Amino acid sequence: MDSIFTVSIFQSALELGCIYALVALALFISFTILNIADLTTDGCFTLGCAVGAMFTAAGHPLLALVMALVTGALAGFLTALLQTKFGVESILAGIIVNTGLYTINLMVMGFSSLVNLFGCDTVFSLGKDLLGDTFIGGWYKVAMVAAIVIIIALALWWFLGTTLGMSIRATGDNAEMVKSSSINPTFTITVGLCLANSLTGLSGALIAQYQKSADINIGTGMVTIALASLIIGQTLIGNKGSMSRRIFGTILGSVLYRFIVAIALRMSVPAEALKLVSAIIVAVAIATPYVRKKVALKKRQYANYQRNRQEVKKNA
Amino acid sequence: MLRLDNISKTFNPGTVNEKAALTKLSLELKDGDFATIVGSNGAGKSTMFNAIAGTFIVDEGNIYLDDEDITFKKEHVRSRYIGHLFQDPLKGTAPNMTIEENMALAYLRASRASSKLFSRISAKDKDRFRQQLQLLGMGLEDRMKQPVGLLSGGQRQALTLLMATFVTPKLLLLDEHTAALDPATAEKVLELTKSIVAERGITCLMVTHNMHQALEVGNRTLMMNAGRIVFDTQGEERAKLTVQDLLEKFRAGAGEELDNDRVLLS
């Protein structure tokens, strides 16, 4: 019997886990820290993918990453603008921008729903030229994406400890207190959402280069997948400890999620079913603590009922 | 120092829930004034504080602080020079952030330089925070890395007071800030308040339901009813006033039975 894990599956799960970890980190910023359900994510991921693909196709794989980062931040800026300056409910603001982005993304891709990058230079092909012959060998992609994630995680950790970063954290923790500490919540929400969506955009561009194509529907369900990663990480590492721990947990969650997907694929779950699987993972993970509490209460209730009945019998 | 000029605020105008919370209220505070405010529930005490702090913009009238018109200034701008403490000790601090992080945010009011946006808490900051925390005598200086959510209500309120006065505010608003604490802790927080306010000469407004406090603390006593100030006393007149007198005034001013046992019992 084949073992469930082959080295190549392990490798690609690591690679994808690291790339998608950026989206999980984006949700860590918007959902966990700012306490805002930012639904820009799906469209923003595709935007990063589309922008990344077009610049890569034009022969600028590195500029592609930068541009994806910038356009992602712009998308986040729009969402923030709608909710802070125009009184649009935060969830709705994300949905509106997300919907609008579909057309923008098509425009970016030249009104084609698929862009192929075969034969184009990507950061991965450049990395292969650079690292392929060293001791890293076939692991060059893992080394590259891991390096990117580590650099971003360190930068994020550093940033969240700065005055601005702390102000953003406080905005999600106690908005009242933020205003009375002379911090402008409009500013902190805007910076937070720009930062989160720039990471999502970067992740999209990396995926475009990784799979050498961009597809208009690639972002669909991305927010659920990232949320699943976030929750897996929080379940394992906990949601309380220090910032570095929580950032590490988020990345770990993303990598583990990709392992789960890889195992599912090995066990011949069809690829089309994956979105359902992620939706179930998120629903179960979020519901479990609540249901567990309920069940414990019901158990106590039942025990209490039994005890009362026995006492009535005894007294009778 | 602080001047409220005929400010009015009506909540839910045009509905059955319409409530005129402030009706042409005027008040002038001198530099260094420490005024206590009494008044039954719904008299408009907290609404006046929120109007000063900028939680909402008043419908009519103007607010001046040090001769500057701040009527339309936003809350986070006003908070640079106005400190605001609430009855609920949970309101003034971020529970999932550590004590030192909360203090660092409070310290933001000191400097508006954008270069500070990307600075982290330095060893010097920590020393400064530790010294401040020692003043509380609650042992918080040894728990600076702990999230504020782990502190008791009294500790959190004391910390909030420290944070609000860390950078000396022009005006300090205390909205029954000891009412949710146990008697011993309330006493401690009040003593701390008095010493900080006296030491730095902060102009201060304090809402209380305790008539003794209303007469003993500070240099001026105000009474509110139906959205305006109905009684204002200081100096010799105030010194002669007894709790009984104040209660009578309360009745006369309110024109109704006292609805609040806490007022009578205290």
Side-chain angles (χ1 to χ4, degrees), chain B residues 99 129-130 133-134 138-146:
Chain B
I99 294 179
F129 299 161
R130 188 170 293 115
L133 286 168
Q134 273 165 353
M138 289 177 164
L140 295 185
E141 61 274 14
D142 301 322
R143 302 172 62 184
M144 283 172 47
K145 290 271 182 210
Q146 287 185 14

Coordinates of all heavy atoms in Angstrom, one line a residue, chain B residues 99 129-130 133-134 138-146:
Chain B
I99 N -0.9 45.7 30.4 CA -0.9 47.0 31.2 C 0.0 48.0 30.5 O -0.4 49.2 30.3 CB -0.5 46.8 32.6 CG1 -1.5 45.9 33.4 CG2 -0.3 48.1 33.4 CD1 -1.2 45.6 34.8
F129 N 6.4 54.1 33.1 CA 5.1 53.4 33.5 C 5.2 52.8 34.9 O 4.3 52.9 35.7 CB 4.8 52.3 32.5 CG 4.6 52.8 31.1 CD1 4.7 51.9 30.0 CD2 4.4 54.1 30.8 CE1 4.6 52.4 28.7 CE2 4.2 54.6 29.5 CZ 4.3 53.7 28.4
R130 N 6.4 52.1 35.2 CA 6.5 51.5 36.4 C 6.4 52.5 37.6 O 5.7 52.2 38.6 CB 7.9 50.7 36.5 CG 8.0 49.8 37.7 CD 9.2 48.9 37.6 NE 9.1 47.9 36.6 CZ 9.8 47.8 35.5 NH1 10.8 48.7 35.3 NH2 9.6 46.9 34.6
L133 N 2.8 53.4 38.1 CA 2.0 52.3 38.6 C 2.3 52.2 40.1 O 1.4 51.8 40.9 CB 2.3 51.0 37.9 CG 1.7 50.9 36.5 CD1 2.3 49.7 35.8 CD2 0.2 50.8 36.6
Q134 N 3.6 52.5 40.5 CA 3.9 52.3 41.9 C 3.1 53.3 42.8 O 2.7 53.0 43.9 CB 5.4 52.6 42.2 CG 6.2 51.4 42.0 CD 7.7 51.7 41.8 OE1 8.1 52.8 41.7 NE2 8.5 50.6 41.8
M138 N -0.8 49.2 44.2 CA -1.6 48.0 44.0 C -0.8 46.8 43.5 O -1.3 45.8 43.1 CB -2.7 48.2 43.0 CG -3.8 49.1 43.6 SD -5.1 49.5 42.3 CE -6.4 50.2 43.4
G139 N 0.5 47.0 43.4 CA 1.4 46.0 42.9 C 1.3 45.8 41.4 O 1.8 44.8 40.9
L140 N 0.7 46.7 40.7 CA 0.5 46.5 39.3 C 1.9 46.7 38.5 O 2.0 46.2 37.4 CB -0.5 47.5 38.7 CG -1.9 47.4 39.2 CD1 -2.8 48.4 38.4 CD2 -2.4 46.0 39.0
E141 N 2.8 47.3 39.2 CA 4.1 47.5 38.5 C 4.8 46.2 38.3 O 5.7 46.1 37.4 CB 5.0 48.5 39.3 CG 5.4 48.0 40.7 CD 4.3 48.4 41.8 OE1 3.2 48.8 41.3 OE2 4.6 48.3 43.0
D142 N 4.4 45.1 39.0 CA 5.0 43.8 38.7 C 4.2 43.0 37.8 O 4.6 41.8 37.5 CB 5.1 43.1 40.1 CG 6.0 43.8 41.1 OD1 7.0 44.4 40.7 OD2 5.6 43.8 42.3
R143 N 3.2 43.6 37.2 CA 2.3 42.8 36.3 C 2.1 43.5 35.0 O 1.1 43.3 34.3 CB 0.9 42.6 37.0 CG 1.0 41.9 38.4 CD -0.4 42.0 39.0 NE -1.4 41.3 38.3 CZ -2.7 41.2 38.7 NH1 -3.1 41.9 39.8 NH2 -3.6 40.6 38.0
M144 N 3.2 44.2 34.6 CA 3.0 45.0 33.4 C 2.8 44.3 32.1 O 2.3 44.8 31.1 CB 4.2 46.0 33.3 CG 4.1 47.1 34.3 SD 5.5 48.2 34.4 CE 5.9 48.5 32.7
K145 N 3.2 43.0 32.1 CA 3.1 42.2 30.9 C 1.8 41.4 30.9 O 1.5 40.7 30.0 CB 4.2 41.1 30.9 CG 5.6 41.8 30.6 CD 5.9 41.9 29.1 CE 7.3 42.4 28.9 NZ 7.3 43.2 27.6
Q146 N 0.9 41.6 31.9 CA -0.3 40.9 31.9 C -1.4 41.7 31.2 O -1.5 42.9 31.3 CB -0.8 40.6 33.4 CG 0.1 39.6 34.1 CD -0.4 39.3 35.4 OE1 -1.6 39.6 35.8 NE2 0.4 38.6 36.2

